[in-house]
Amino acid sequence: MGLDDRKLDVLRAIVEDYVATQEPVGSKALVERHQLGVSPATVRNDMAVLEDEGYIRQPHTSAGRVPTDRGYRLFVDRLSRVKPLTPAERRAIERFLVGAVDLDDVVHRTVRLLAQLTRQVAVVQYPSLARSSVRHLELVPISTTRLMVVMIADTGRVEQRLVELPAPLPVDDVTDLRRVVNEKLVGNRLTDTPPLVQALVEEVAPHLRGAMTTLSTVLLETLVERHEERIALAGTANLTRGGVLDFQGSLRPILEALEEEVVLLKLIGEAEPSSTLRVRIGDENEIDNLRSTSVVSTGYGPGATIVGGLGVLGPTRMDYPGTIATVRAVARYVGDLLAQN
């Protein structure tokens, strides 16, 4: 990139000051606030080079400079040192999440916690059924001709469906069906279950085949065909905390984009879930209405298994080291919770 260490130090100082103050940064302020070890004239020359290279810009005449998307990218890739969370922050995360009573509570606590800690918009995807396995299938008789099918995934997701049976079914037969479907399906990934479900019809006792044929249709719909992804969102009001240079003057396109669930899923990398933390800055976002924002996201899940994504969205003028540390830590705690439960 052709920038020596001194110019990189100047860029780091500009990013840190602009994030902290929301004001364009001048050479005099840099010399006063940072131990750069050079004269104001040298800092001005370095700033001129950084501007020529496209790392900073002057928002209006006789103003200081602000980082560009390219400047933030260089800062994230080469200059930012991820801030370790304090013991108090770690304890706060652990206490807040450990009190969760079920998966819904985990997700809602997580999204609120992320929004509070980062002061950005937080997005958390519920564990995806497409990446889950069957933990248990319960068949609950509602009447002699109606069953409630309850599927519990290893991630804590619960799906319920009603089954209208073709003929009355004794309780003992319901018990037999429950045993057979659990023996066949528990421990398998939901995406691998269709041939197993279809085989069940042939494997049950002849007098149960009518009920199993009807049940298998509902099981296929529950396990495979209805992978409705769910998203939790919090902290939208944090967008209003920005300065006049954030979001190019208008929040409306961002708010409209955040109303679309498919946009939110793209934001947190649903298409390619990964434990690798991603930082997309400004124009790196593929969604037009979000090109004045930055997104920090990662996958989460029990152990090495990634079952969903989470992250935050805010202005490109973001505390990247602090935000990266928080997103990583929260994802790790949520994964540990899922592994324990």
Side-chain angles (χ1 to χ4, degrees):
M1 295 187 182
L3 295 182
D4 57 34
D5 288 346
R6 192 185 70 221
K7 292 182 182 64
L8 291 173
D9 284 341
V10 171
L11 177 61
R12 179 192 290 114
I14 291 170
V15 171
E16 290 173 352
D17 276 14
Y18 182 56
V19 168
T21 67
Q22 301 187 27
E23 297 290 338
V25 183
S27 57
K28 185 169 181 288
L30 287 180
V31 172
E32 289 173 353
R33 286 198 286 254
H34 300 270
Q35 305 299 316
L36 296 173
V38 294
S39 68
T42 301
V43 171
R44 281 195 295 276
N45 288 336
D46 289 343
M47 290 174 74
V49 172
L50 289 168
E51 189 168 6
D52 288 343
E53 295 287 328
Y55 295 108
I56 60 176
R57 65 183 179 87
Q58 189 175 30
H60 44 80
T61 310
S62 73
R65 304 300 191 275
V66 300
T68 61
D69 290 356
R70 190 178 185 210
Y72 285 124
R73 171 48 63 192
L74 183 59
F75 176 81
V76 169
D77 288 347
R78 291 191 47 194
L79 301 172
S80 65
R81 299 182 184 91
V82 175
K83 296 176 186 172
L85 296 183
T86 67
E89 287 171 327
R90 291 185 181 281
R91 282 196 300 273
I93 293 172
E94 193 169 0
R95 277 200 303 269
F96 195 71
L97 294 180
V98 163
V101 296
D102 58 20
L103 182 65
D104 275 333
D105 201 14
V106 169
V107 171
H108 285 108
R109 283 172 179 253
T110 301
V111 77
R112 292 202 312 274
L113 180 67
L114 269 178
Q116 289 167 9
L117 292 177
T118 63
R119 297 198 293 176
Q120 311 289 1
V121 180
V123 183
V124 177
Q125 177 192 11
Y126 277 74
S128 171
L129 287 177
R131 294 189 287 277
S132 301
S133 298
V134 181
R135 178 186 287 176
H136 182 69
L137 280 157
E138 188 57 60
L139 304 181
V140 182
I142 306 297
S143 70
T144 57
T145 57
R146 179 180 283 188
L147 293 177
M148 171 75 78
V149 177
V150 183
M151 190 283 296
I152 304 170
D154 59 344
T155 53
R157 279 277 300 257
V158 177
E159 296 289 314
Q160 299 181 141
R161 301 285 184 273
L162 278 175
V163 184
E164 298 289 346
L165 298 169
L169 196 66
V171 172
D172 287 349
D173 286 349
V174 174
T175 302
D176 288 344
L177 285 178
R178 180 188 301 118
R179 176 184 52 78
V180 169
V181 296
N182 276 285
E183 286 175 355
K184 191 77 169 178
L185 301 177
V186 166
N188 288 286
R189 285 177 67 90
L190 271 64
T191 49
D192 297 334
T193 55
L196 303 177
V197 172
Q198 289 159 357
L200 280 168
V201 177
E202 300 300 321
E203 294 175 9
V204 296
H207 72 285
L208 293 176
R209 283 180 185 163
M212 181 57 82
T213 299
T214 303
L215 178 59
S216 66
T217 301
V218 176
L219 284 174
L220 284 172
E221 181 184 283
T222 307
L223 298 172
V224 182
E225 293 169 7
R226 291 184 60 173
H227 286 152
E228 298 158 346
E229 301 299 353
R230 295 168 60 196
I231 287 284
L233 184 72
T236 307
N238 286 330
L239 293 172
T240 63
R241 296 172 45 255
V244 293
L245 295 177
D246 292 336
F247 310 126
Q248 299 167 3
S250 176
L251 282 176
R252 183 172 179 174
I254 298 165
L255 295 172
E256 288 175 349
L258 292 177
E259 289 179 357
E260 300 293 333
E261 191 162 285
V262 66
V263 168
L264 297 178
L265 286 167
K266 279 185 180 178
L267 275 186
I268 52 176
E270 192 270 341
E272 295 179 30
S274 167
S275 59
T276 303
L277 188 133
R278 298 173 65 194
V279 181
R280 279 161 291 172
I281 298 168
D283 283 339
E284 295 169 1
N285 286 302
E286 56 190 72
I287 299 148
D288 287 343
N289 285 354
L290 298 179
R291 291 201 164 139
S292 60
T293 70
S294 285
V295 178
V296 179
S297 63
T298 190
Y300 72 88
T305 305
I306 300 301
V307 297
L310 58 80
V312 299
L313 171 144
T316 55
R317 182 191 52 78
M318 179 186 286
D319 172 16
Y320 291 99
T323 301
I324 289 168
T326 300
V327 168
R328 274 185 180 153
V330 170
R332 186 171 63 251
Y333 277 107
V334 176
D336 290 347
L337 264 184
L338 293 181
Q340 292 164 17
N341 296 327

